[in-house]
Short mmCIF file of all heavy atoms in Angstrom, two decimals:
data_model
loop_
_atom_site.label_atom_id
_atom_site.label_comp_id
_atom_site.label_asym_id
_atom_site.label_seq_id
_atom_site.Cartn_x
_atom_site.Cartn_y
_atom_site.Cartn_z
N ASP A 158 116.34 88.66 92.74
CA ASP A 158 116.14 88.85 94.13
C ASP A 158 114.69 88.60 94.54
O ASP A 158 114.44 87.93 95.56
CB ASP A 158 116.47 90.33 94.47
CG ASP A 158 117.98 90.59 94.47
OD1 ASP A 158 118.81 89.57 94.37
OD2 ASP A 158 118.42 91.77 94.45
N GLN A 159 113.71 89.01 93.75
CA GLN A 159 112.35 88.88 94.06
C GLN A 159 111.93 87.38 93.99
O GLN A 159 111.21 86.93 94.75
CB GLN A 159 111.44 89.71 93.12
CG GLN A 159 111.47 91.21 93.40
CD GLN A 159 111.01 91.49 94.84
OE1 GLN A 159 110.03 91.01 95.31
NE2 GLN A 159 111.72 92.41 95.53
N THR A 160 112.44 86.72 92.98
CA THR A 160 112.15 85.28 92.87
C THR A 160 112.73 84.54 94.07
O THR A 160 112.00 83.56 94.56
CB THR A 160 112.78 84.68 91.55
OG1 THR A 160 112.28 85.43 90.37
CG2 THR A 160 112.44 83.16 91.40
N ALA A 161 113.90 84.89 94.51
CA ALA A 161 114.54 84.21 95.66
C ALA A 161 113.71 84.54 96.90
O ALA A 161 113.44 83.66 97.75
CB ALA A 161 115.92 84.67 95.86
N THR A 162 113.19 85.83 96.99
CA THR A 162 112.38 86.19 98.13
C THR A 162 111.10 85.35 98.18
O THR A 162 110.51 84.96 99.20
CB THR A 162 112.05 87.71 98.09
OG1 THR A 162 113.30 88.42 98.11
CG2 THR A 162 111.21 88.09 99.23
N LEU A 163 110.51 85.15 96.99
CA LEU A 163 109.32 84.35 96.89
C LEU A 163 109.50 82.87 97.18
O LEU A 163 108.73 82.22 97.82
CB LEU A 163 108.75 84.51 95.43
CG LEU A 163 107.34 84.01 95.14
CD1 LEU A 163 106.31 84.75 95.99
CD2 LEU A 163 106.99 84.20 93.68
N ALA A 164 110.68 82.35 96.72
CA ALA A 164 110.95 80.90 96.85
C ALA A 164 111.62 80.56 98.20
O ALA A 164 111.42 79.40 98.72
CB ALA A 164 111.79 80.41 95.72
N GLY A 165 112.35 81.43 98.77
CA GLY A 165 113.17 81.21 99.99
C GLY A 165 112.37 80.64 101.12
O GLY A 165 112.72 79.61 101.73
N PRO A 166 111.27 81.32 101.57
CA PRO A 166 110.53 80.79 102.73
C PRO A 166 109.98 79.40 102.53
O PRO A 166 110.01 78.58 103.41
CB PRO A 166 109.39 81.86 102.90
CG PRO A 166 109.93 83.13 102.22
CD PRO A 166 110.82 82.67 101.11
N ALA A 167 109.42 79.16 101.31
CA ALA A 167 108.84 77.87 101.04
C ALA A 167 109.90 76.78 100.98
O ALA A 167 109.78 75.69 101.52
CB ALA A 167 108.09 77.87 99.65
N PHE A 168 111.07 77.12 100.42
CA PHE A 168 112.20 76.22 100.32
C PHE A 168 112.71 75.86 101.70
O PHE A 168 113.00 74.71 102.02
CB PHE A 168 113.31 76.80 99.46
CG PHE A 168 114.41 75.90 99.11
CD1 PHE A 168 114.12 74.61 98.67
CD2 PHE A 168 115.74 76.27 99.16
CE1 PHE A 168 115.18 73.69 98.35
CE2 PHE A 168 116.76 75.45 98.81
CZ PHE A 168 116.48 74.12 98.38
N ALA A 169 112.78 76.87 102.58
CA ALA A 169 113.28 76.65 103.94
C ALA A 169 112.28 75.73 104.71
O ALA A 169 112.70 74.84 105.42
CB ALA A 169 113.43 77.99 104.67
N ALA A 170 110.99 75.96 104.50
CA ALA A 170 110.02 75.12 105.20
C ALA A 170 110.08 73.67 104.77
O ALA A 170 109.98 72.71 105.54
CB ALA A 170 108.61 75.69 104.96
N VAL A 171 110.29 73.47 103.49
CA VAL A 171 110.34 72.13 102.91
C VAL A 171 111.67 71.44 103.47
O VAL A 171 111.66 70.24 103.82
CB VAL A 171 110.41 72.13 101.39
CG1 VAL A 171 110.75 70.73 100.85
CG2 VAL A 171 109.02 72.53 100.89
N LEU A 172 112.74 72.18 103.41
CA LEU A 172 114.05 71.63 103.95
C LEU A 172 113.93 71.19 105.35
O LEU A 172 114.54 70.18 105.81
CB LEU A 172 115.17 72.63 103.66
CG LEU A 172 115.67 72.85 102.27
CD1 LEU A 172 116.67 73.96 102.26
CD2 LEU A 172 116.17 71.59 101.65
N LEU A 173 113.25 72.03 106.16
CA LEU A 173 113.14 71.74 107.56
C LEU A 173 112.37 70.42 107.86
O LEU A 173 112.64 69.82 108.92
CB LEU A 173 112.43 72.90 108.28
CG LEU A 173 112.56 72.91 109.87
CD1 LEU A 173 113.97 72.87 110.24
CD2 LEU A 173 111.83 74.15 110.40
#
Side-chain angles (χ1 to χ4, degrees):
D158 288 347
Q159 288 298 319
T160 302
T162 300
L163 191 61
F168 190 43
V171 171
L172 288 176
L173 192 56

